[in-house]
Amino acid sequence: MLESFNSYLELEGGELYLEDVSLYELAKTFGTPLYVYSLSYVLDNLRAYKEAFINALICYAVKANPNISLISSLAKEGAGADVVSGGELICALKAGIEPSKIVFAGVGKSEEEIALAVENQILLINAESEEEILKIDSVAKSLNKVQNVAIRVNPDVDPKTHPYIATGLQKSKFGIDIKAIPEIFENSKSLKGIKLAGLHCHIGSQILSVSPFSEALNKVLELYHYLLNKGFELNYLDIGGGLGIKYRPEETAPTPGDLSKELLPALESFKGQLILEPGRSIVGNAGILLTKVLYRKQKSGKHFTVVDAGMNDLIRPSIYSAYHHIVPVRPRNGRKILTSVVGPVCESGDFLALDRELEDLEQGSYLAVLSAGAYGFSMASNYNIRPRPAEVIVHKGKAILSRKRETIEDIFQKVT
């Protein structure tokens, strides 16, 4: 069953291993909470996208997991990057992503962030408002550059996901109403600092059906052909990311191959550069959060398992009511109890699982929180002045410390 989450995750001799590395030994060596990532699984997923979309540029969504070591490995495999801030842009460049393979989205890019993108001559800035288009033009002219820009289309498609990560609905803050875009293209003809070179569409995240992607693509392609007939030259079509992953044992998730079968027939009419922005589907099930049982308590008929990982380490359960499958690193007695796995943070919303049937674990034993490779460390914080976890990458039987555990001193170094 565990292999259905990650083919490199196995239970051997009563102990969990990831890429032939003992998770128990990693927890003992590096301490907990601890993020562990399977590099082979990450690279397998990138290759699956490259095989499914042969001529496409695969721009990894840095927001999913900004670990520079992972991104550097993706860069060596030819991946680009999708960034949504100046910090993510710097991260991608430091990891070795070529500027000509970087696309920059986000509704609130500052003038400084736009200048950073223009100075590095990244492939595309995906603009999300008419005022932003004018700002990019102004910045580019001040730098004596011409910047390629794609307009982010809001196609008003319901991706059937959590409302906080649905970005393609008309009521969301993202993109420009599809009906307004032809006029924006006309109004931008005189701008000298930019070239409107493409269209961009990203409808959301953790989408478990390929049909919303198809619906959105058909709307964008209709707009694309309309603009071509009006004489505009469009070389790029960025269809975003959002393919979901398996979080529950009973779930199935579509593959890049499933997505390509759905989309490629419609894309035969598109002759430019296709761009995809996968994030979660690259790294989500590559990652595990290891945590230690601190205490167990029974209170008013309810059982709690208190662990050392909290909402500051993995916030998804608290803000999305997200499910993460949790298993013991060393299963022992097999006796199950109904318990809530809660963290040390001073919030009632600090939990990893509520009323979950788990093995009755002893104090000091370790748990593995699965599917934690995306939006885990990237959303971690120092709330309650808690240092962020260390990160370890395992690959073919070897473990490398990718990021040291923060210390209290590290946190206070940021304070003047």
Side-chain angles (χ1 to χ4, degrees), residues 40 107 213 264 305 357 398 400:
S40 293
V107 299
F213 295 105
L264 288 182
T305 301
E357 191 176 75
K398 295 182 180 179
I400 299 169

Side-chain angles (χ1 to χ4, degrees), residues 67 74 76 107 120 152 162 170 186 193 221 311 336 373 389:
N67 184 285
L74 291 169
K76 291 171 184 174
V107 299
N120 281 281
R152 180 167 179 174
H162 192 284
Q170 193 173 47
E186 291 290 343
L221 283 173
M311 62 187 291
K336 300 289 184 72

Side-chain angles (χ1 to χ4, degrees), residues 291-307:
T291 184
K292 183 169 66 174
V293 176
L294 298 177
Y295 307 104
R296 299 160 300 165
K297 61 189 290 188
Q298 191 82 27
K299 180 172 173 284
S300 301
K302 187 175 176 67
H303 190 274
F304 295 92
T305 301
V306 184
V307 298

Side-chain angles (χ1 to χ4, degrees), residues 198-260:
L199 297 173
H200 172 227
C201 180
H202 176 69
I203 60 172
S205 187
Q206 186 51 20
I207 302 170
L208 293 175
S209 167
V210 294
S211 59
F213 295 105
S214 181
E215 183 184 350
L217 177 61
N218 287 331
K219 289 186 176 184
V220 173
L221 283 173
E222 184 179 350
L223 173 63
Y224 164 76
H225 289 296
Y226 175 85
L227 293 169
L228 281 187
N229 290 333
K230 289 291 184 179
F232 294 100
E233 182 183 354
L234 299 176
N235 301 316
Y236 302 99
L237 182 59
D238 184 342
I239 60 174
L243 201 63
I245 65 168
K246 177 188 180 79
Y247 280 103
R248 297 174 180 268
E250 68 274 15
E251 279 180 340
T252 58
T255 66
D258 296 330
L259 186 63
S260 68

Side-chain angles (χ1 to χ4, degrees), residues 182 241 270 299 341:
F270 175 68
K299 180 172 173 284
V341 182

